[in-house]
Amino acid sequence: MDALEQVQLRTKLRLLEQEHRDLDAAILALEASGDVDQLQLRRLKKKKLALKDQIIMVENKLIPDIIA
């Protein structure tokens, strides 16, 4: 992997992590409000989990394979 690919992956990782944090804040705010739409809450949580999967995939690409 060249330097440009690493920079692109790190940028993508930061964006995904920010979106994950934003979703977490939205979920907490929705839960804190007395009016909770369960369907919307489930969708946000599902999207948050999908983002976490994407974050893990990008992190795995950034970590070099080391044969022990």
Side-chain angles (χ1 to χ4, degrees):
M1 176 183 321
D2 64 6
L4 178 60
E5 288 175 323
Q6 278 193 347
V7 168
Q8 290 172 335
L9 284 174
R10 290 186 192 284
T11 301
K12 182 176 181 175
L13 181 60
R14 282 194 299 274
L15 292 173
L16 289 171
E17 288 172 337
Q18 182 61 50
E19 189 175 352
H20 188 266
R21 284 190 297 270
D22 291 346
L23 268 176
D24 193 39
I27 289 168
L28 289 174
L30 186 62
E31 289 175 335
S33 73
D35 187 25
V36 179
D37 180 358
Q38 291 299 319
L39 181 60
Q40 182 182 14
L41 188 60
R42 272 197 309 265
R43 286 179 178 160
L44 290 175
K45 286 182 176 184
K46 190 173 184 177
K47 185 173 181 179
K48 184 179 166 190
L49 285 173
L51 280 172
K52 186 64 175 175
D53 289 342
Q54 289 179 16
I55 289 169
I56 290 170
M57 286 186 346
V58 171
E59 287 174 340
N60 287 339
K61 288 180 183 178
L62 286 170
I63 299 172
D65 289 334
I66 300 173
I67 300 174

